[in-house]
Amino acid sequence: MEPLVRALRESPPVHLVLAAAGLLASAAGSLDALREALAAAGAALWVEAPTAEQQALRRLGAPVTGFFAPGLSLGARVEAARQALPPEAREADDDRVLLRVLVAEDDPVYRKLLRLALAPFHFDIMEAEDGMSALELARRRPPDIVVADVLMPRLDGFRLCLALRQDPKLARVPVILTHATAPDELDLRMASNVGANGFVRRAQGDDELVGTLLREARAEGPMPAPLPGELSTEAHLFAMVRQLERRVGLLEQAERTARESEERYRLVVSGSYDGVWDWDVRDQRMYWSPRLLEMLGMKPEAFPGTSEAFLARVHPEDRDEVASALARHLEQGTPYDVSFRLKHESGGYRSCVSRGRALRDVQGRPVRMAGIIGDVTEQLRLYREAREAVRVRDEFLAVAAHELRTPLAALRLRVQGTAAALKHEHPVAPERLERALVAADRQVQRLADLVEGLLDVSQMQGHAPRLNLEDVDLGQVVRDVVVRSEEMASRAGCLLVVRDVASAVGHWDALRLGQVVTHLLVNAVKFGPGKPVELEVQADADTASLVVRDHGIGISPDRVDGLFRRFERAVPTRNYGGLGLGLYRLHRIVEAHGGEVAVTSIPGQGATFRVRLPRSGPPAVHA
């Protein structure tokens, strides 16, 4: 409290003092000195406090002019403080323009929200719909600060910031980058590389963005060395990154479309009815249409035609609800729309939905009621399957997006590192640039393998994989794959042990068999790091067998049966990566060759996969 009183006495004229309720409550003994200092300065005291604390301060006799409600946004606080100023001070403040702010944002809704958030500060706001327009506008009317979205057409926020830094007249203008999601380590690294002052997540209210804007408006942006012209390598790599980001966006769009399709399907199911009933309320006689009787496996003479007979066929757990719904409709006019189970002649129950409406006489008494009953047993089954399929799809999309983003993130880091090196004043060694491009190419190849796997599975879903059949030695295929996989196994600490690889020649597709062996080895190394992986090839006159054995975590017994289905996983997604498609592809390839694959496992002791192939090739081709 003492510093506040001293500031009021020593500072220039003060119109308004904002204080926290806790400050006044903890300094009750100094309230008289504060009252005198406020009077001498001609200042009003406003306090931010909830209702209970407001009452406590009034009882305490604090010299409070008014209260602000807690929890106000930063803009709301500024506007409330402006309204609390004396009229002459408020008019002087209304005529001031503090900053010229350039907002580069391609989303018109967010541009409007940001303008509303900044309105209380009386900034001069310029708007641009994309990065190129923002750059041209900044060159015509240099701003005091720039707020730019990182994903915009023509020129994104990162490259806009880079272009500003390379313009001598705009190089020191602070730039704040924004995005709809929280920035990760890669985003922050890229923002630092292009010389941005900050990276803020867009959120409703945008207090963080406004606070950063006010703070950084007093700072200046860094001045990197200007770069003459555009680099073809940088442009190529940036274009590659943007293309891959668009493909990830297509996955997200597919997810939204699938959700909309699921909603339309739900509406179709809810409106599908196919049985009619008619009930004479006065004599309690009820008619059921032939389709309704057929739905329950009944003959016309088997239904007595009474409401009691209808209720008797309703499942005991649903009977009271159906009777109550009928009574409410007849007595109060409440809509009759219920779901229940009806007994089938076979002894089971069918899931049904029913709607009906009563016809009333001139006195409003119900005389007749008719409606429809639909058998939705099959629809419910399909709906549950669809829900399960949607769950599996959602999980797969999440995993696929993660698997695509992982090499994408590494690629973007390489791009940024290369770009930063090329912008340095000293020449970059060709060897260093070559290493960076080789590393980037490795990540592009990884992405290409993922996309190829997805396309391969999409084709396999409709028909068997195409085979290029020739005489192939399975033993040689295994040896070749082992040689190519030694580096991968070494990184995981796995020793590849070839127990017995006999020569086994058959009429097969060499490329597809290589994929089978590779899938098995990758799986064994992934789930058994640090432990040996054993391979065997055995053959007799008619068949050849491949055995791959690991000593890893093993497979739970309840997961074995569905292991070769699409998107099936034997382990949690959060612990192990991959798309869950490798074993499905393996099974389809082996099946196309007329063979079979089996797995045995003990949890905690590893798994053994056995592939058996007829040496004569696929049966249809052989015939």
Side-chain angles (χ1 to χ4, degrees), residues 160-227:
L160 170 61
C161 182
L162 190 61
L164 293 172
R165 294 290 173 259
Q166 293 172 353
D167 189 327
K169 296 181 179 179
L170 302 172
R172 307 296 293 205
V173 174
V175 177
I176 300 174
L177 299 177
T178 68
H179 191 36
T181 59
D184 56 20
E185 181 178 356
L186 179 60
D187 291 324
L188 297 176
R189 178 77 62 83
M190 292 179 67
S192 175
N193 287 345
V194 298
N197 290 63
F199 198 126
V200 180
R201 176 188 177 186
R202 298 187 325 211
Q204 189 172 4
D206 287 311
D207 275 2
E208 182 182 0
L209 176 58
V210 173
T212 304
L213 187 149
L214 293 172
R215 182 179 63 253
E216 296 299 330
R218 301 182 179 181
E220 289 184 329
M223 176 74 83
L227 186 67

Side-chain angles (χ1 to χ4, degrees), residues 495-499 532-536 547-551:
L495 176 65
L496 301 183
V497 180
V498 181
R499 293 291 185 193
V533 176
E534 305 170 21
L535 299 95
E536 297 181 34
V547 180
V548 177
R549 182 181 298 106
D550 67 70
H551 300 274

Side-chain angles (χ1 to χ4, degrees), residues 85-302:
L85 288 171
E88 62 274 13
R90 186 163 60 246
E91 291 173 2
D93 182 72
D94 290 343
D95 295 335
R96 295 168 58 197
V97 176
L98 298 178
L99 291 172
R100 179 179 293 166
V101 181
L102 172 58
V103 176
E105 170 62 62
D106 61 329
D107 185 352
V109 174
Y110 186 70
R111 285 204 308 273
K112 184 173 182 179
L113 291 175
L114 188 56
R115 176 178 283 275
L116 291 175
L118 297 178
F121 300 91
H122 291 195
F123 295 152
D124 179 12
I125 299 177
M126 304 185 297
E127 295 181 357
E129 298 179 354
D130 57 65
M132 189 62 70
S133 300
L135 182 60
E136 294 170 358
L137 184 57
R139 287 169 175 167
R140 292 198 305 269
R141 296 183 62 199
D144 296 312
I145 191 166
V146 176
V147 178
D149 182 22
V150 295
L151 294 180
M152 290 186 293
R154 296 211 296 167
L155 196 68
D156 62 29
F158 292 118
R159 296 174 68 82
L160 170 61
C161 182
L162 190 61
L164 293 172
R165 294 290 173 259
Q166 293 172 353
D167 189 327
K169 296 181 179 179
L170 302 172
R172 307 296 293 205
V173 174
V175 177
I176 300 174
L177 299 177
T178 68
H179 191 36
T181 59
D184 56 20
E185 181 178 356
L186 179 60
D187 291 324
L188 297 176
R189 178 77 62 83
M190 292 179 67
S192 175
N193 287 345
V194 298
N197 290 63
F199 198 126
V200 180
R201 176 188 177 186
R202 298 187 325 211
Q204 189 172 4
D206 287 311
D207 275 2
E208 182 182 0
L209 176 58
V210 173
T212 304
L213 187 149
L214 293 172
R215 182 179 63 253
E216 296 299 330
R218 301 182 179 181
E220 289 184 329
M223 176 74 83
L227 186 67
E230 189 74 43
L231 292 177
S232 58
T233 301
E234 179 191 5
H236 172 72
L237 292 176
F238 264 112
M240 187 185 303
V241 170
R242 289 290 174 253
Q243 183 180 11
L244 292 170
E245 287 178 336
R246 284 194 294 271
R247 292 186 179 181
V248 173
L250 289 176
L251 279 176
E252 296 171 349
Q253 178 62 37
E255 180 181 8
R256 288 193 295 271
T257 302
R259 290 187 186 279
E260 294 171 358
S261 299
E262 179 190 3
E263 195 64 30
R264 286 194 294 269
Y265 172 79
R266 188 177 302 171
L267 292 174
V268 170
V269 170
S270 67
S272 178
Y273 298 96
D274 53 8
V276 177
W277 54 271
D278 186 357
W279 179 29
D280 190 325
V281 178
R282 290 172 295 190
D283 63 9
Q284 295 296 305
R285 299 297 300 173
M286 180 174 281
Y287 162 80
W288 278 10
S289 69
R291 179 68 189 93
L292 182 52
L293 294 168
E294 178 188 356
M295 185 177 75
L296 298 176
M298 299 174 61
K299 296 181 179 180
E301 60 271 16

Side-chain angles (χ1 to χ4, degrees), residues 1-45:
M1 184 64 71
E2 292 181 2
L4 173 58
V5 172
R6 186 167 54 252
L8 286 169
R9 290 171 177 171
E10 299 175 359
S11 299
V14 176
H15 298 294
L16 184 67
V17 175
L18 304 180
L23 175 65
L24 299 181
S26 63
S30 304
L31 293 180
D32 291 337
L34 175 62
R35 185 178 292 105
E36 294 175 1
L38 288 170
L45 175 63

Side-chain angles (χ1 to χ4, degrees), residues 428-603:
V428 180
E431 295 81 5
R432 180 180 177 184
L433 182 59
E434 181 181 2
R435 287 196 302 271
L437 291 175
V438 168
D441 183 68
R442 189 182 305 118
Q443 298 303 327
V444 172
Q445 183 60 47
R446 183 179 174 187
L447 285 165
D449 292 341
L450 288 169
V451 173
E452 181 182 355
L454 290 170
L455 293 175
D456 200 13
V457 167
S458 177
Q459 294 172 355
M460 288 182 181
Q461 185 180 2
H463 52 75
R466 296 184 179 87
L467 301 179
N468 182 21
L469 299 174
E470 57 183 339
D471 289 338
V472 177
D473 185 353
L474 177 59
Q476 186 60 46
V477 171
V478 170
R479 284 189 288 270
D480 291 342
V481 172
V482 167
V483 171
R484 293 196 302 269
S485 305
E486 284 181 343
E487 181 181 353
M488 177 267 296
S490 177
R491 289 197 301 269
C494 293
L495 176 65
L496 301 183
V497 180
V498 181
R499 293 291 185 193
D500 184 13
V501 178
S503 177
V505 178
H507 201 55
W508 304 312
D509 185 321
L511 178 62
R512 290 296 191 181
L513 286 190
Q515 292 175 347
V516 168
V517 180
T518 300
H519 282 317
L520 292 175
L521 273 181
V522 169
N523 253 28
V525 170
K526 179 192 292 186
F527 299 114
K531 298 181 180 180
V533 176
E534 305 170 21
L535 299 95
E536 297 181 34
V537 174
Q538 302 170 353
D540 56 28
D542 299 320
T543 62
S545 300
L546 167 65
V547 180
V548 177
R549 182 181 298 106
D550 67 70
H551 300 274
I553 62 174
I555 305 169
S556 175
D558 61 337
R559 293 282 190 171
V560 171
D561 290 341
L563 194 60
F564 299 102
R565 291 197 293 261
R566 277 192 319 151
F567 312 138
E568 189 68 27
R569 293 178 167 278
V571 293
T573 304
R574 62 180 180 272
N575 295 332
Y576 294 90
L579 299 177
L581 299 174
L583 291 179
Y584 170 76
R585 294 176 70 192
L586 179 151
H587 182 263
R588 292 287 284 160
I589 293 171
V590 172
E591 187 179 55
H593 280 88
E596 58 186 23
V597 57
V599 58
T600 57
S601 177
I602 299 176

Side-chain angles (χ1 to χ4, degrees), residues 321-338 354-358 360 369:
E321 180 182 354
V322 174
S324 298
L326 284 170
R328 287 194 301 270
H329 179 73
L330 295 175
E331 297 170 5
Q332 307 170 16
T334 304
Y336 176 73
D337 187 349
V338 292
S354 180
R355 291 177 181 172
R357 186 173 183 180
R360 302 176 185 271
M369 186 173 178

Side-chain angles (χ1 to χ4, degrees), residues 13 47-48 345:
V47 177
E48 184 180 47
E345 278 294 286

